Amino acid sequence: MKYVADNEHLLTKNTITVNDKKNVDDDINNYIIQRPNRLTLGIPVALNFYNWGDKDLETKYLKGIDTFSKKRDRPKEYKKFKYKFNHWKFKNGEAPVILDSSKTKLTANKLQDHFFNQGYFRAKVDYKETRKNNKLATVGYTVKTGKVFLLDSISKNIKSPVLDSIFELHKNETLIKTKEEYNDLNFANEADRITKLYRNSGIYHFTRGAIGYKADSAKNSYKVDVKLHIGDRIIERNDSIFTTQYTIQKISKVDVYTDYSFNKKEDPYTKTDSYNGINFHAHDELKYNSKLLSNSIFIEPNNIYRDEDKNLTRKHLRGLQNFKIANVKYEEIDSANLAAKIYLTPYKKYSFSANTELTHSNIKQLGVSGKISTLNRNTFKGAEILRFSVQGSFFNTSRDAGDNTGGFFNAFEFGGDVSLEIPRILFPAKTENLILKKMSPKTKISIGTSFQKNIGLDKQKFTGIIDYNWQASKKKKHRLELINAQFIRNLNTSSYFNIYQSEYNSLTSISDIISQTTTIPSNNFDSNGNIIPSTFIDYVTDATNGFQTTNLIEFNNVQNIEKRRNIITQDALVPVISYEYTYNNSKNYKDANFSFFRARIASSGVLSSALSTKTNANGQKEILGIPVAQYIKTDFEYKKFWGNSSDNVLAFRGLLGIAIPYGNSDEIPFSRSYFIGGANDLRAWKIYDIGPGSIQNGLEYNVGSLKILSSLEYRFKIINSVKGALFVDAGNIWDITKTDLIADEGKFNGIKSLNQIAVGTGFGIRYDFNFLVIRLDLGFKTYEPYQPDNLKWLSNYNFGNAVYNIGINYPF
């Protein structure tokens, strides 16, 4: 009680009892004005920070009094630091909440109003403050609601005939019905519905303030009579006020000013064009194709006024990313007609950007990357956006690729890409009737390439994509990749055994076993006596040497090592067609109570394999000498968030992924296989470090064709921008391709394989910068499916075996 005076009491608890039952409704608790100090896992962390501060030091320092009398030799910088640190404690801490009776009474009044608005017109609210001798206090609120009032007769008085007619046409949509409980919120929602109805039915001048309700509960029967009143339009003109009836107004003229600016607003518009009755104007040159730009304009001549058309027009024009200002205004021509004026202020046609950043991952320990981009807006006069970018990175790699020269940054990656974004569906057949223009359809065409040095197998990639996406509603999005073709070429296959050191160690162990009974020829070793992998593999798998008979286990293991090497080092051509559906009912970025669902299905090699005429020695169809990958892959992801603010959220994520090869392929390409672990996944294991199944083979990169993952995370506020989290992750990967390279422990065998799901738990510390979140998550191995039965649970649950994950933004 450091800063609680003798005549004060620290508020520790509020309780609300409604009709003899303890309240658990957050909506009711929100009416409490004075709340106890915030608890983090039951501890008042913010209050403790505040109490940690020294107010005497604050006062003396500001007055210039020496607060370091015992250590006068301390430098001024230290004294200043101590003062600032002390000030930081007060600024980031939370002062003790002292019981204030006036706020208690105000809370009781607000509770009374709340229940009155819920239809409990005779509710009573009492309260009791309990002050204890230890300077602590609690407050209890007792609510007796009484009986709720029901709606009885509902009538209306709408002055303007046109409003009355529109109301009658839609009266079945009303939110206020007889025999239902009285609730103020229903009346507010009904007023919003009526306003929206009128303003989308041509009533340009209608406002919500014109709606009024009169409720009469004079009868002593717990019933309420309600009357809706909407008067005529009120007009103020020349110091006079008069009324007139509302009328339906239509749009008789639409003008679009494509290069509007405040500085040139008085200059004449010398260039004009029109399309479908919409007039397009420019000062000197019409830089936008009128037909194409009209796709983003939903206000059309001879249509009635509609708020929806105005909002859609403004939203779509801004979504083109060509205009920094897109305003829509209306001018009244007469009582029946409006003129719509759309003012567009374009961005500069060309823009240039450059950025750099530090990067970190399990493979790239420390890196510096940079990107240079140029952007060309309105490339073909249809509001298209052409982007060209070049990016490069220098890294210090954690897994050496065989070249240790070149200083600290011993690896690099360079690439470039060109993309064209078109604000419509570019397709040979017409799609307008299927994908409406109000769905913001877009086509994106992109090509790109990248090149690596000393990063794994030094992949060179060439990618080409034709992508369509559209938003069917506020909650539903669709995406169709007509083609996503990627050619992957491995340039550093000779360093495979340097990168996959575990495979090299396996060969060394096998050579030790074989050498016990057979003299291995010297050409299998280098000058230092180390195994030469490719020569040794050829030696063991040569049928004339007889190891298939004398050392069958070693023979099979070497064959598997060679098969894995061929799969990982093989160049790949992956031509994918995919469809993705996303559902997200989040209202805005502050919403902490919403659901998210994503489903994606992808097929590789359907068309390209059919078009291929060449076949290799293994019977695989090829294009440009590269086998075409064929597989079907599906992904399902569900996320659910519960919370009343971003400071207190329970988050769940579930993911299921399945990949099945067919036809031309027996395996899933390594780059398209599933892995598990890492900062956004199963956080108690590093990326690639676990699976498939209960196998613990020590390989550097473990992948599978089936993935199951779920996470539950509780996020809470510790102090100001410092947030915390408690989490549990569960998941694993398995093989479902029937390959002989994976042991039975790594294959999915139905329900019984679910006991191989690994479980990790942990906690995290996050710092919220508003525009991004930096986090440190500590994951502890809780259940390890690859361990013996007596060691599966908690055998490595300690800080020594924990995984420290650094990430940007939340994991999901």
Side-chain angles (χ1 to χ4, degrees), residues 23 109 120 208 222 246 506 613 615 620 639 689 698 702 713 738 796:
N23 173 69
N109 292 338
Y120 298 97
R208 192 180 187 278
Y222 292 97
Y246 288 96
S506 295
T613 59
T615 304
Q620 296 175 309
K639 294 186 283 190
D689 269 4
N702 294 289
E713 180 171 282
K738 299 182 179 180
N796 289 303

Side-chain angles (χ1 to χ4, degrees), residues 473-527:
S473 67
K474 290 182 179 179
K475 300 177 182 179
K476 301 174 183 178
K477 292 182 180 180
H478 302 268
R479 180 182 181 187
L480 174 65
E481 286 183 327
L482 185 63
I483 186 66
N484 182 340
Q486 189 173 63
F487 169 61
I488 304 171
R489 183 184 177 199
N490 295 298
L491 303 177
N492 190 24
T493 57
S494 61
S495 294
Y496 174 83
F497 288 101
N498 292 335
I499 300 163
Y500 294 84
Q501 191 67 40
S502 61
E503 299 280 54
Y504 182 83
N505 293 338
S506 295
L507 289 177
T508 301
S509 298
I510 291 170
S511 71
D512 292 340
I513 294 173
I514 291 176
S515 65
Q516 293 176 8
T517 56
T518 304
T519 300
I520 301 174
S522 60
N523 65 331
N524 288 276
F525 303 90
D526 63 16
S527 58

Side-chain angles (χ1 to χ4, degrees), residues 646 679-680 713 715 723 766 768 773 775 808-812:
S646 60
N680 299 319
E713 180 171 282
R715 301 166 185 169
K723 310 292 178 69
R766 290 92 187 265
D768 190 347
V773 175
R775 61 187 169 90
I808 304 296
N809 293 326
Y810 291 105
F812 59 91

Side-chain angles (χ1 to χ4, degrees), residues 483 575 605-614 621-623 628 630:
I483 186 66
V606 176
L607 296 177
S608 51
S609 292
L611 296 174
S612 174
T613 59
K614 294 184 178 181
K621 293 182 178 181
E622 294 181 334
I623 293 179
V628 177
Q630 280 192 299

